[in-house]
Amino acid sequence: MRAMVLEKSRAPLLMRERPTPAPAAGEILVEVAACGVCRTDLHVVDGELPNPKLPLIPGHEIVGRVAVLGAEVAGLAVGERIGVPWLGYTCGVCSYCRSGRENLCDRPLFTGYTRDGGYATHALADARYCFPLPERRDDAEIAPFLCAGLIGWRSYRMASAQGQGGYAEGAPPDALGLYGFGAAAHILAQIAAWQGRRVYAFTRRGDTEAQVFAKSLGAVWAGGSDEMPPEPLDAAIIFAPVGALVPLALKAVKKGGRVVCGGIHMSDIPSFPYRLLWEERHVVSVANLTRADAREFLDIVPQAGVKTEVTCYPLAAANDALADLREGRLQGAAVLIP
Ligand SMILES: [Zn+2]
Ligand SMILES: [Zn+2]
């Protein structure tokens, strides 16, 4: 197999030939057809997340086909189309796993971070954490669903939550702000608009191209992240890794509103006056995903008619894809094709 490998943090990925691995019990070998490039990959490569497996094959938005079944794998067939997400393994016994919060597991493994991922022709995966995918859609188009889509969905559910119970109890926000209009926001905006929500898109100041793009996907308004929306928001989701957006988003949400931080890493949040948080505004983060989130999301995608905008790169150009994402030169999502 061929793979783009991170041998040390903050260094370019290197193309390597390796023997194709055989799946252990409970695992499958996936022949990769496409692998999305997520902002989290940038944080891993740039050394902003602690203790990655090294050397590492990044990539956790894998679309492929089952090539080999390991022993004891049930419910999957060779040749079946499969998606491999960020959540690669959970322990099943910690208090989080036992309370339906496997996304917070104490001993998890993450694809493309603490186990090898999909910047490769082949990848191993724990079969229990993979999802059968519909055959209809193009491999590259569907790859961003595996993280950008899923995390956007979980963030949206978190933005809808009310009261002490936290998750999935309230109605979705009528007026929803999305800060950072990249891969995740471009998927979520379509779902929220389809559900009749008013989506307000916040981009880098003066990024008219991204603002036009956001409006084309159903946003009723688009502007710079330093602007105030024309109405107070019920909730805001911050996808950009920029801590300074937290007080800006708090300013834009109404009483009792929620600000959800959807990324795994963010620059420091500047201090802000307490009155921005006062009146029961909430700031929460979203960590990882559960398999239930994925089932729910993959179910709603075809109903909402979600389309993705992708830019494809050959596997060998993974460093270019990462650079384009880092510099904000992409509309939608980058996808590697082995
Ligand atoms: Zn656990
Ligand atoms: Zn991701």
Side-chain angles (χ1 to χ4, degrees), residues 38-41 60-61 86 147-148 151:
C38 174
R39 183 164 290 282
T40 298
D41 302 341
H60 57 270
E61 294 181 314
W86 169 251
C147 183
I151 290 296

Side-chain angles (χ1 to χ4, degrees), residues 196-307:
R197 313 299 157 196
R198 297 184 298 283
V199 176
Y200 295 85
F202 297 82
T203 70
R204 288 177 220 226
R205 193 192 319 179
D207 190 349
T208 45
E209 209 180 333
Q211 291 167 11
V212 169
F213 181 52
K215 286 188 185 159
S216 77
L217 298 175
V220 294
W221 175 92
S225 53
D226 54 344
E227 291 178 49
M228 288 297 277
E231 67 168 319
L233 304 174
D234 294 301
I237 303 173
I238 303 176
F239 291 118
V242 181
L245 293 173
V246 172
L248 289 174
L250 277 170
K251 238 180 248 179
V253 298
K254 60 172 72 160
K255 287 183 283 189
R258 297 176 81 95
V259 173
V260 180
C261 302
I264 193 169
H265 174 84
M266 201 180 229
S267 55
D268 286 355
I269 300 171
S271 72
F272 55 87
Y274 176 63
R275 67 179 159 74
L276 294 184
L277 186 62
W278 166 241
E279 294 169 324
E280 302 193 349
R281 290 174 180 86
H282 298 57
V283 178
V284 294
S285 69
V286 161
N288 314 316
L289 71 144
T290 67
R291 285 171 284 179
D293 294 329
R295 283 189 287 272
E296 201 175 77
F297 170 73
L298 291 172
D299 204 46
I300 204 161
V301 158
Q303 298 177 53
V306 178
K307 294 192 174 60

